[in-house]
Amino acid sequence: MPSLNTQDAANARRQLRRRRRQAFLFVVPLLVFILFAFVAPITTMLFRSVYNPTVAELVPETLEMLEDWSGEGLPDEATITRFAVDMKRMANDRTSGRLADEINRALPGMSSVVKSTARGLRRADDAELAANGAEMLLAENERWAKPATWRAIRSAGQVYTSSYYLTAVDLEYDSEGEIIMRDTQIYKQLYTKTLKMALIITGLTMLLGYPLAFYMSQASPATANFLMVFVLLPFWTSLLVRTTAWIALLQAGGVVNSTLLWAGLINQPIELLYNEFSTILAMTHILLPFMVLPLYAVMRGIDASFMRAAISMGSNPIGAWYKIYLPMSLPGLSAGALLVFIISVGYYITPALVGGTDGQMISNIIAFHMQVSNNWELAAALGSLLLILILVLYWLFDRFVGTDNLKLG
Amino acid sequence: MKDTKAETFLRFDNVKKSYDQENLVVKGFDMHVQEGEFITLLGPSGSGKTTVLMMLAGFESVTSGDIAINGRSINKTAPNKRNIGMVFQNYALFPHMTVAENLAYPLTVRKMPKAQIKERVAEYLALVELSAFGDRRPGQLSGGQRQRVALARAMIFQPTLILMDEPLGALDKNLREQMQFEITRLHKQIGFTVIYVTHDQTEALSMSDRIAVFNDGVVQQCAPPAELYERPVNAFVAEFIGENNFVRGKVTQIEGETAKVETDTGTITTQTSEGLTEGAQCRVSIRPEKLFIHPTTHAHDNALTATFITRIYVGDFIRYYFRLPDGTDIIVKVLNDLSAPEFEDGATAQLLSLTKDCIAFAN
């Protein structure tokens, strides 16, 4: 067989390089977009959950000196003096509030101590402070005499910290540096509730979507298209409009309650809105297309002859469905379930609008920490835990169902 | 097998089917099938043959009439209780099961003991010569192998009847011939009754005991292959089965089984068919291989004069195209031997035939 000569080989190589370059150019805009709009912000966000340089930037020298301290008894006088000098400087730059917030997170109640001390030291004489700082600081508030206070400053001064992750799973460091349960258990419960609600929503969309997709796949193209419009219509309506429609339906004076009152079935309006029920109801409605579409795509590819073959061999229709049709439609079912589950775990807008306090999900708390409490670090920790949770669930799904059993269309 | 006195095994009694409450797809289908027969339902697509099959299997309801097996009506029997094996055009092998599991399925459904299932599966895998393929998935088999698995699966629970819906439609020509042979072999060896649906007449002619030719929801003729080919009862069957030439003419005289037909190129003596009357217009059918070109040693009763148009070399035979004075094209098939004549363009020739090979059909 004649082989390529050097000239041919060079040509072939050049052509291949050209094709690759062209293919790459096609995806460059998307790559750039993803990098700037997705990868970069998420990485910063995740980084923020473990990186907190505020205290380290405010009192770097004190922290350096605290490193030599054993943690028992009070730090040496030089360290305390140094901190007193820092306090005066921060009081004058108006940065003592930030320090108060940070230390308060490590040791509750310290916010007012730091602020009042800062006020007290603002007018102190520089020379006197340098000579007698330790004494003056201890005189401002008795808590400065407690080793726990200094341990709190040292732990708040850590640039890299795991404390936000501990908070996100309802744990904290006690004053001795041991990991203990927090007094208020919020987040674990919230994660469990979020998963539970997502599972219920997934189950409901399966129950509603499977028969519908089956009927559509068996129906004539005209009927199937007609039904498809009904599946897609809510998809094309604004999410906000759909959610508000549920409010109109479910509120105390809404359609459902007035109908029931009119029919004499109830004497006073039942609370349908602002609870878990309304969140699950509205989200099931919103996420149904995500279940129906992959199911329909897979079911349309299953010829009627499979069921007929099974029935002709003596299987009853339900047995044939369970043994033949269900395994064959499983790729669509698991794709739909995975989509609905993952979307609902991170859902924000619907629980925020119709969930009340009862129907809040983890995303709403993340949003709360981002917008109201300004604790971005905790929000980042909660968010990354959610991401890890979903990755673990996906891994489990892959183990037991197999991702090759996934089909989106 | 063709003893009409034998107890009828499967009986269709004036079966009708309408999907839309307006038009009948099957218009009064009657048929008696004996046990062990190989019956083919043959017809162009949309002629109602698959509908008959689906009614027999129970996947379509019967609009009116009755289907009975061994004298008992099965109209109201659920499809899974009919004990009818079925082979589909797309094989319908379950893709998530191995070949052995596919074969075991009808037996598992019947709650047969595991050891017995294993034995039976091995036996039927051997029967279709796929013993080494039990652990494969249908996706890993070739078309012919899948077809054999589908056959074995339809036979393994020893059904009273096996239905085949264009089972060889998806195979290429060579494989199709091989599978025709295979199905015939299994049918002879095991002796089950087959209702076979196809639109391929070669398949029907080579495999069946009897063929029911469908057109427009009506059975035109139900007869053994040779009879269907040699003695079609009407022009549709004559045209649909095999190739045929039709010469227009007018019946001048009917005498018992023979008739005289006057055509533009002279009088032809022909066989009669039902509905033929003296003085009426008719069409005379003559098979291309039953026409001979003068000079020949064959005896003949009729002669047509025609103009030569062209000849096409096919290989084992040669097709000649002639034209009658009234413009009708006539095809003649001649074996490719030394006697195959050559013609100049526009030359005239005498085409000879026997009375027994010509049939006149009323128009």
Side-chain angles (χ1 to χ4, degrees):
Chain A
M1 216 178 108
S3 58
L4 277 81
N5 62 35
T6 7
Q7 187 60 43
D8 293 342
N11 277 341
R13 230 179 2 255
R14 201 164 43 243
Q15 281 156 5
L16 185 70
R17 265 206 304 275
R18 213 180 116 101
R19 254 203 319 280
R20 281 200 185 139
R21 199 164 51 235
Q22 279 175 345
F24 181 70
L25 281 174
F26 277 112
V27 292
V28 160
L30 184 68
L31 276 179
V32 170
F33 179 77
I34 287 180
L35 207 66
F36 279 94
F38 194 73
V39 178
I42 287 214
T43 319
T44 359
M45 200 62 209
L46 293 184
F47 189 49
R48 206 181 252 278
S49 67
V50 289
Y51 177 68
N52 179 24
T54 315
V55 179
E57 278 164 5
L58 288 172
V59 288
E61 292 93 344
T62 313
L63 287 172
E64 206 169 297
M65 290 163 85
L66 269 175
E67 263 169 41
D68 302 329
W69 173 52
S70 69
E72 298 301 321
L74 276 184
D76 58 30
E77 212 177 296
T79 313
I80 301 178
T81 308
R82 179 71 237 171
F83 184 70
V85 173
D86 283 343
M87 281 297 276
K88 186 195 167 189
R89 175 179 49 77
M90 283 186 291
N92 289 320
D93 320 335
R94 307 200 172 277
T95 47
S96 58
R98 280 169 64 197
L99 184 78
D101 281 351
E102 294 293 332
I103 296 176
N104 195 53
R105 260 179 220 147
L107 187 65
M110 280 305 289
S111 179
S112 57
V113 177
V114 174
K115 282 174 186 164
S116 70
T117 310
R119 268 196 305 278
L121 293 180
R122 194 163 55 198
R123 303 252 172 266
D125 179 57
D126 275 343
E128 196 190 346
L129 200 59
N132 246 342
E135 220 168 286
M136 287 165 78
L137 187 79
L138 293 173
E140 284 290 335
N141 195 302
E142 59 192 15
R143 290 190 72 168
W144 294 119
K146 291 186 177 155
T149 306
W150 296 99
R151 279 198 292 268
I153 294 173
R154 190 163 65 172
S155 83
Q158 279 172 348
V159 177
Y160 292 96
T161 171
S162 59
S163 64
Y164 296 107
Y165 277 97
L166 290 177
T167 314
V169 289
D170 292 329
L171 298 172
E172 64 182 353
Y173 286 113
D174 66 0
S175 45
E176 266 81 48
E178 298 287 314
I179 293 173
I180 53 159
M181 299 276 274
R182 275 166 65 102
D183 302 333
T184 42
Q185 298 282 306
I186 317 168
Y187 299 114
K188 265 196 288 198
Q189 213 186 343
L190 203 58
Y191 275 116
T192 330
K193 191 165 92 179
T194 305
L195 289 183
K196 188 191 82 186
M197 283 168 72
L199 273 179
I200 294 176
I201 291 161
T202 311
L204 284 174
T205 50
M206 271 188 200
L207 277 180
L208 293 171
Y210 197 91
L212 175 67
F214 178 75
Y215 179 74
M216 275 165 54
S217 69
Q218 305 288 312
S220 67
T223 322
N225 285 337
F226 182 69
L227 286 171
M228 189 51 107
V229 171
F230 280 96
V231 173
L232 290 177
L233 204 60
F235 218 41
W236 297 332
T237 327
S238 147
L239 181 71
L240 219 52
V241 172
R242 273 182 290 164
T243 311
T244 343
W246 280 111
I247 298 179
L249 275 176
L250 297 177
Q251 63 193 345
V255 181
V256 174
N257 268 319
S258 25
T259 312
L260 289 176
L261 278 171
W262 175 81
L265 291 170
I266 50 170
N267 295 323
Q268 54 184 46
I270 20 175
E271 281 201 24
L272 296 169
L273 197 60
Y274 305 124
N275 52 26
E276 223 178 290
F277 166 78
S278 55
T279 311
I280 290 175
L281 193 65
M283 280 177 66
T284 305
H285 168 226
I286 287 160
L287 295 175
L288 192 59
F290 290 98
M291 179 62 82
V292 174
L293 292 177
L295 261 179
Y296 175 60
V298 169
M299 283 178 172
R300 214 178 30 181
I302 305 175
D303 196 90
S305 61
F306 289 103
M307 279 291 271
R308 286 181 169 175
I311 290 172
S312 78
M313 285 184 275
S315 174
N316 64 42
I318 292 173
W321 172 80
Y322 181 70
K323 284 278 193 196
I324 307 302
Y325 199 86
L326 184 62
M328 288 180 76
S329 60
L330 195 64
L333 190 65
S334 41
L338 204 66
L339 264 180
V340 170
F341 184 80
I342 287 179
I343 296 176
S344 51
V345 158
Y347 223 68
Y348 167 69
I349 186 104
T350 304
L353 288 177
V354 300
T357 42
D358 214 19
Q360 295 297 301
M361 294 173 82
I362 194 74
S363 311
N364 303 100
I365 295 303
I366 295 176
F368 168 80
H369 284 304
M370 301 274 303
Q371 294 163 347
V372 183
S373 81
N374 260 331
N375 193 347
W376 282 37
E377 290 79 12
L378 183 56
L382 286 168
S384 23
L385 271 186
L386 188 62
L387 181 64
I388 291 164
L389 194 72
I390 287 173
L391 289 177
V392 167
L393 286 170
Y394 184 77
W395 175 77
L396 282 175
F397 175 87
D398 189 32
R399 274 293 297 273
F400 293 107
V401 185
T403 34
D404 49 340
N405 255 332
L406 267 184
K407 211 173 162 196
L408 288 173
Chain B
M1 223 194 273
K2 281 159 212 153
D3 182 4
T4 44
K5 280 175 199 155
E7 181 97 346
T8 303
F9 168 65
L10 167 67
R11 185 170 48 81
F12 291 91
D13 204 0
N14 197 21
V15 171
K16 293 179 185 167
K17 175 70 187 177
S18 168
Y19 286 106
D20 55 2
Q21 294 117 44
E22 274 174 39
N23 305 305
L24 283 175
V25 184
V26 177
K27 304 169 182 167
F29 177 57
D30 285 298
M31 184 146 89
H32 290 214
V33 179
Q34 312 306 326
E35 188 140 26
E37 255 191 310
F38 195 120
I39 301 285
T40 298
L41 311 182
L42 177 68
S45 53
S47 58
K49 54 194 194 312
T50 299
T51 308
V52 167
L53 201 73
M54 287 298 155
M55 285 193 285
L56 179 53
F59 298 124
E60 293 291 352
S61 60
V62 177
T63 305
S64 84
D66 191 44
I67 305 175
I69 293 181
N70 284 327
R72 266 205 315 277
S73 167
I74 57 163
N75 273 13
K76 297 233 166 1
T77 313
N80 54 322
K81 300 265 191 275
R82 293 192 183 193
N83 203 30
I84 291 176
M86 201 155 175
V87 182
F88 294 86
Q89 182 173 8
N90 67 351
Y91 320 120
L93 299 178
F94 308 137
H96 57 291
M97 296 181 178
T98 64
V99 167
E101 283 165 350
N102 262 285
L103 290 191
Y105 185 77
L107 308 178
T108 325
V109 169
R110 284 171 173 73
K111 308 224 165 21
M112 195 185 256
K114 278 219 166 71
Q116 215 176 323
I117 291 181
K118 217 175 156 192
E119 207 173 291
R120 182 85 73 87
V121 167
E123 181 194 333
Y124 274 79
L125 276 177
L127 193 67
V128 292
E129 291 155 4
L130 286 175
S131 293
F133 294 83
D135 294 330
R136 299 229 189 147
R137 302 241 167 198
Q140 297 164 299
L141 301 181
S142 71
Q145 290 168 335
R146 283 183 218 180
Q147 186 58 67
R148 294 219 288 273
V149 176
L151 264 177
R153 195 179 62 172
M155 298 187 300
I156 198 166
F157 59 104
Q158 293 162 345
T160 49
L161 189 61
I162 294 181
L163 312 184
M164 304 192 190
D165 186 7
E166 311 225 4
L168 309 182
L171 301 179
D172 64 46
K173 191 171 167 289
N174 281 337
L175 212 50
R176 207 178 318 170
E177 276 167 16
Q178 209 180 315
M179 285 309 299
Q180 284 172 17
F181 174 76
E182 187 85 6
I183 292 173
T184 320
R185 171 179 78 86
L186 290 168
H187 174 242
K188 291 232 167 72
Q189 188 176 340
I190 301 173
F192 46 79
T193 312
V194 180
I195 308 290
Y196 190 100
V197 162
T198 184
H199 64 264
D200 180 337
Q201 42 163 308
T202 342
E203 211 168 281
L205 290 171
S206 59
M207 296 168 79
S208 327
D209 292 322
R210 280 195 294 154
I211 300 170
V213 180
F214 269 72
N215 189 38
D216 200 18
V218 177
V219 175
Q220 307 286 330
Q221 184 175 6
C222 181
E227 192 183 328
L228 209 61
Y229 191 82
E230 309 285 345
R231 293 284 311 153
V233 295
N234 60 30
F236 174 81
V237 179
E239 199 169 3
F240 187 71
I241 306 286
E243 234 181 336
N244 231 329
N245 295 303
F246 287 97
V247 182
R248 297 192 171 279
K250 189 176 162 189
V251 186
T252 53
Q253 190 192 352
I254 297 180
E255 218 171 80
E257 289 286 285
T258 59
K260 284 203 188 312
V261 176
E262 199 181 285
T263 70
D264 285 4
T265 51
T267 305
I268 316 175
T269 56
T270 70
Q271 307 265 55
T272 56
S273 69
E274 217 180 290
L276 202 66
T277 49
E278 274 184 37
Q281 294 292 322
C282 72
R283 291 199 292 165
V284 178
S285 77
I286 317 166
R287 298 268 180 211
E289 72 276 16
K290 305 284 188 183
L291 277 169
F292 305 100
I293 300 165
H294 184 76
T296 173
T297 54
H298 289 278
H300 68 274
D301 305 315
N302 303 314
L304 297 168
T305 312
T307 318
F308 172 77
I309 298 170
T310 185
R311 64 174 229 168
I312 292 173
Y313 185 84
V314 182
D316 50 353
F317 57 86
I318 297 169
R319 296 163 69 92
Y320 289 81
Y321 287 81
F322 293 96
R323 188 163 291 159
L324 294 179
D326 67 352
T328 313
D329 282 327
I330 299 288
I331 300 165
V332 181
K333 262 176 163 176
V334 176
L335 262 180
N336 184 11
D337 58 14
L338 293 171
S339 69
E342 304 236 8
F343 287 99
E344 299 266 329
D345 273 2
T348 49
Q350 294 278 310
L351 307 178
L352 313 175
S353 60
L354 291 167
T355 302
K356 74 172 181 67
D357 295 328
C358 303
I359 309 169
F361 296 107
N363 250 1

